[in-house]
Amino acid sequence: MGRKVALATCSLNQWVLDFEGNLERILKSIEIAKSKGARYRLGPELEISGFGCMDHFYESDTLLHCFQVLEKLLVSPISQDIICDVGMPVMHRNVCYNCRVIFLNKKILLIRPKMILANTGNYREFRWFSPWNKPRKVEEYFLPRMIQEVTGQETVLFGDAVLSTKDTCVGSEMCAELWAPNSPHIDMGLDGVEIFTNSSGSHHEIRKDHSRVDLVKSATAKAGGIYLLANQKGCDGDRLYYDGCAMIAVNGNIVAQGAQFSMDDVEVLTATLDLEDIRGYRAELPLQSRSEPYCRVKVDFALSAHDDVFVPTYEPIQWRYHTPEEEISLGPACWLWDYLRRSGQAGFLLPLSGGIDSSATACIVYSMCLQVCLAVKNGNSQVLEDVRRVVCDITYTPQEPTELCGRIFTTCYMASENSSQDTCNRAKELAKQIGSYHINLNIDMAVKAMVGIFSMVTGKWPQFRVNGGSSRENLALQNVQARIRMLLAYLFAQLSLWARNKPGGLLVLGSANVDESLRGYMTKYDCSSADINPIGGISKTDLRSFIQYCIENFNLTALRSIMSAPPTAELEPLSEGQIQQTDEADMGMTYSELSVYGRLRKIAKCGPYSMFCKLIHTWRGICSPGQVAAKVKHFFQTYSINRHKMTTLTPAYHAESYSPDDNRFDMRPFLYNTAWPWQFRCIDNQVSKMESENETQFHNALD
């Protein structure tokens, strides 16, 4: 009697609406799974259409093309003799659902709709799909004619059911259902389901992987079972990077771990696991279902071989977590590579200022080149094909990251009369060490021409504050420099390769970090305005740690002087060649304080008064209540004054849970009453009350 089941799960780098490419990757994963002896193959959520189709899910074309792909999957010889579990949108009775379509040998076994939709943070599934609100209920689904002709079935079961094979019982979960307090695997396990599958579209966030792994382990630790998780991987068309991490767990232990960051478009994990381990684990547990039983779809197929006594099974492993610095090095690098190879452009251009933020961006591009070289060295033919297309050379094979950087990465230091020689030297030295094609230019002529036009029209010549000008003049002169740099960045991105007799154009990279975006410490339409921004979701604190990581692991010694230099925009005049302007002085707050404000505002969902109430305890002994009040008020005033800048924020890699991205993650107005009169009055009243109580306590102590 067979008892050792052979199972496969995978991570696929799917791309929205790339039906041909998505089909090829699905078939390749099935082929690999079969070659490893698997009898069940699980794929990521919405893998046929791509996960991030958003409003394309409204289009009938999307549904049609998904069924056309499903038809090809059903008839393919590759998909025979293995249960295939694929994801796609399905419309049932004029309602669209996010579904799993499970089939075997040209027969659809079950269409399982998602029951708990993700509708927080980056996810808006309720906009496109409806949840299946009928637990343990199924209905008849009438198949499209193109599918009927292949399967010979007119209808199939649609709903919340499980598969009963010759040797075990399999139940499905989908992504957010694992994260919910009422996860379906709980009732399924109590009803005798032994194998749980989860198809996910789960994105990367720094330090998130621990939560995902803990949830998978706990799903089977309490009541036993096998848990398979499949996930989307890569940039499928927007700000998110789906970070793989396919995994298989048994009775609370991980037995197979997939890569979190990889340039392999298809990764398949397999494991052979003993069903008797689950039954023995459950033997001592008081398991009894209190709900009505699940509808069981009988499947004349076994996930185990008839005689498998000598087949070895997988043993528990220790999950290998990346450090936050490694996550920054790898996640945005893989996202950049996907964006570059799919955009049809020839590389990147980065305004490199010699500061931490733009240097961190440069290091991420260097890390990308390193990962590309490693992938090619390891025989990844798809990466080699892509890199040859990017550089327009069918004979090229990258050997070293510095050499590849020189072909696809241009850095540009844009000096002004307010720039120091130190930052110029730092940018030049870093460019030399990473191998980028580096340009030095001066923007003073353009700045004077722009201000000259204003002066010619108005008869007035604005001055910096140090030269007697007002704060308005001072800020306007800074903004002119910043915006001219943006214009020059795009000019050189379009024509610098042309000037070097090379084909193609370059994508402009931005380098504003998440804290500066939150505070609005940037000029609208300056160098923060770019095509994409790999560090826009990363805090200044994490970027500093990442720079140190690059010094130690990439041997980029030029970063040492960048680490020790104070952050500065260099937009105001120097004094005897030395910088007078610093970012934290300009902002009126430190970067570490900004991170605290960001987490309280977004994650803890604090308004001004709630933030004040939390910080008087957090900062007790550091700040008086009056000082905390002043800091909170200053943050909310500057945040609300600058919120309009988020509406034009460059699409940035999502990496931080308090990102202020206005696109869909942090949806708030951009026109505020920046005086916050009611909220600040509540804070003032509380400060007065606390000061009065302290004074009374002081006098009582004297008496």
Side-chain angles (χ1 to χ4, degrees), residues 12-29 47-50 69 265-266 342 382:
L12 303 183
N13 194 334
Q14 303 297 73
W15 190 12
V16 291
L17 306 180
D18 179 25
F19 294 101
E20 187 170 359
N22 293 348
L23 171 62
E24 290 174 1
R25 288 181 284 271
I26 292 170
L27 285 173
K28 184 177 180 181
S29 70
E47 59 187 308
I48 290 180
S49 60
V69 171
D265 285 346
V266 177
R342 288 171 171 170
Q382 183 63 59

Side-chain angles (χ1 to χ4, degrees), residues 6 56 79 116 158 201 356 369 465 582 666:
H56 288 291
S79 68
I116 302 172
F158 185 102
I356 281 182
C369 293
R465 184 187 292 113
T582 63
D666 189 41

Side-chain angles (χ1 to χ4, degrees), residues 25-173:
R25 288 181 284 271
I26 292 170
L27 285 173
K28 184 177 180 181
S29 70
I30 297 171
E31 186 176 27
I32 294 171
K34 285 180 67 177
S35 71
K36 294 184 176 182
R39 311 269 286 174
Y40 191 109
R41 175 269 181 199
L42 174 70
E45 188 173 10
L46 295 167
E47 59 187 308
I48 290 180
S49 60
F51 184 81
C53 291
M54 294 186 273
D55 282 3
H56 288 291
F57 285 125
Y58 289 138
E59 300 167 5
S60 60
D61 281 13
T62 302
L63 299 173
L64 169 65
H65 299 326
C66 284
F67 273 110
Q68 289 170 336
V69 171
L70 179 61
E71 178 188 17
K72 291 189 177 297
L73 288 171
L74 286 165
V75 301
S76 172
I78 294 173
S79 68
Q80 307 309 302
D81 300 321
I82 182 172
I83 295 179
C84 296
D85 186 338
V86 300
M88 60 180 275
V90 177
M91 184 170 284
H92 174 56
R93 298 182 181 178
N94 290 335
V95 178
C96 197
Y97 296 94
N98 177 350
C99 293
R100 304 304 300 171
V101 179
I102 307 172
F103 62 90
L104 170 67
N105 293 336
K106 299 183 181 180
K107 299 289 183 183
I108 294 177
L109 305 175
L110 173 68
I111 300 178
R112 199 281 198 180
K114 193 171 184 178
M115 303 176 69
I116 302 172
L117 301 182
N119 208 50
T120 59
N122 288 294
Y123 298 99
R124 295 287 179 272
E125 288 190 64
F126 273 97
R127 181 177 173 91
W128 310 293
F129 304 114
S130 293
W132 182 254
N133 289 322
K134 302 173 184 178
R136 291 173 293 283
K137 300 292 184 184
V138 293
E139 296 175 352
E140 274 192 317
Y141 176 78
F142 286 82
L143 292 168
R145 279 177 293 181
M146 71 174 82
I147 304 300
Q148 291 183 29
E149 292 171 1
V150 173
T151 66
Q153 301 164 288
E154 185 176 293
T155 63
V156 295
L157 291 180
F158 185 102
D160 186 22
V162 297
L163 302 183
S164 185
T165 65
K166 287 182 175 182
D167 46 5
T168 186
C169 189
V170 183
S172 297
E173 280 190 330

Side-chain angles (χ1 to χ4, degrees), residues 666-685:
D666 189 41
M667 304 183 76
R668 299 170 194 255
F670 54 87
L671 178 62
Y672 283 90
N673 181 346
T674 58
W676 301 83
W678 188 282
Q679 296 91 332
F680 287 1
R681 192 179 306 119
C682 289
I683 293 175
D684 292 339
N685 291 340

Side-chain angles (χ1 to χ4, degrees), residues 512-522 533 536 642 646 649 660:
N513 63 63
V514 71
D515 297 321
E516 290 172 348
S517 298
L518 174 67
R519 164 62 174 76
Y521 184 63
M522 62 179 71
N533 180 359
N642 290 290
M646 297 304 97
L649 198 65

Side-chain angles (χ1 to χ4, degrees), residues 5 31 33 42 55 145 165 178 193 213 219 291 317 343 475-476 520 617 650 675:
V5 291
E31 186 176 27
L42 174 70
D55 282 3
R145 279 177 293 181
T165 65
L178 171 64
V193 173
V213 174
S291 305
I317 62 171
S343 68
L475 184 59
H617 298 289
T650 294

